[in-house]
Amino acid sequence: MNSGDMLDWFLGVSMEDHSDADCLMVAISSHGDEYQYVDPERSNVTKREDLILTTDKAIFTRDLVDIFRDEHCHSLKGKPKIFLLQACRGTKLDDGVEILEEDMDVVDALDEPEYTVTPPPCFKDFCIVYATPPGHFAFRRPSEGSWFVKAFWDVVEKVDLSRVDFLRLVTQVIHQVAFSFQSSADDPRIDAKKQSGCIYSMLTKDVYFTPKQEAYELML
């Protein structure tokens, strides 16, 4: 899909009447990358933005999410907007760490260090679930698909969606990706690597996927 078609699709969905909907969920599976730039107000701070790659160019993830803000999509005002993003957010790889139960001494820095920040494209009633942390690669297996999508499907099949809050559900997904997957490749640069998902949430209520008829009966 090219950038124009993707933006047109998102805009089209945002202009639909969602009065009868309880929430919106959008899943994107694509190649991705990051864009970094120096903060014009703080020279020691580098900002990064996530990109979704299309067939002709990249689109800022923030721009896609922004389309569904309350002021742009009135029929979804006050309703949960959930985005599942399976895409790379850079090229870093996670070697994983051995979990140690001991305190480690640290030194407080006296000088302000250089650092990178990722402003999350998150607004009230939004939840964005990334397959991988900022700046990192997202793995997939040719035979099974992406780690994140497979883990999400495995968890969804096992739980009662009407009884498990969405944030608890995706926490289980992230746990499964982090502890059940490890890359295996002939190239030592990408062998034995790990991955962990990332949640940005500004939801103002718990989210349960209860069938409408069942939900109606519970209110009687």
Side-chain angles (χ1 to χ4, degrees):
M1 179 181 289
N2 62 43
S3 58
D5 288 342
M6 177 173 282
L7 288 170
D8 286 344
W9 185 88
F10 272 77
L11 287 169
V13 173
S14 72
M15 290 186 289
E16 293 177 2
D17 183 5
H18 300 282
S19 300
D20 192 45
D22 299 311
C23 73
L24 172 78
M25 178 177 283
V26 177
I28 299 176
S29 179
S30 181
H31 294 292
D33 207 340
E34 63 179 345
Y35 172 71
Q36 296 194 12
Y37 58 96
V38 176
D39 188 335
E41 298 180 357
R42 296 174 293 174
S43 60
N44 65 308
V45 176
T46 299
K47 287 188 174 182
R48 61 171 302 284
E49 295 275 358
D50 294 302
L51 301 171
I52 298 296
L53 303 184
T54 67
T55 56
D56 59 341
K57 63 179 183 179
I59 300 176
F60 285 108
T61 301
R62 177 185 296 274
D63 291 341
L64 294 177
V65 174
D66 184 76
I67 292 172
F68 294 97
R69 292 176 65 176
D70 287 350
E71 56 266 42
H72 299 157
C73 187
H74 299 292
S75 62
L76 285 173
K77 187 175 181 179
K79 300 176 182 180
K81 275 79 71 174
I82 298 170
F83 290 77
L84 305 177
L85 300 181
Q86 164 56 41
C88 292
R89 305 177 71 190
T91 57
K92 294 179 182 177
L93 295 168
D94 187 347
D95 295 321
V97 295
E98 183 178 355
I99 300 176
L100 301 176
E101 295 188 6
E102 61 179 78
D103 292 331
M104 302 294 291
D105 294 323
V106 298
V107 177
D108 293 328
L110 299 179
D111 298 322
E112 188 172 6
E114 294 185 358
Y115 57 95
T116 300
V117 297
T118 302
C122 218
F123 314 100
K124 182 180 70 69
D125 296 313
F126 278 75
C127 179
I128 304 176
V129 186
Y130 291 94
T132 192
H136 283 72
F137 187 80
F139 282 96
R140 68 177 177 84
R141 291 175 178 167
S143 61
E144 298 179 344
S146 75
W147 295 0
F148 175 71
V149 173
K150 185 177 187 308
F152 191 90
W153 179 255
D154 289 345
V155 171
V156 165
E157 281 195 316
K158 295 176 183 176
V159 303
D160 182 350
L161 297 178
S162 66
R163 299 292 182 264
V164 178
D165 171 58
F166 177 75
L167 288 180
R168 182 181 174 189
L169 183 148
V170 292
T171 298
Q172 294 181 35
V173 173
I174 291 173
H175 179 275
Q176 182 159 323
V177 172
F179 288 93
S180 300
F181 291 86
Q182 179 170 295
S183 65
S184 176
D186 294 332
D187 187 342
R189 295 174 298 178
I190 58 173
D191 185 51
K193 305 301 180 183
K194 303 291 288 183
Q195 179 181 316
S196 177
C198 186
I199 305 171
Y200 294 106
S201 175
M202 288 186 67
L203 293 176
T204 59
K205 62 194 74 174
D206 294 335
V207 177
Y208 296 89
F209 295 102
T210 304
K212 278 188 174 292
Q213 183 61 34
E214 180 181 341
Y216 174 77
E217 292 173 353
L218 289 173
M219 292 187 293
L220 295 179

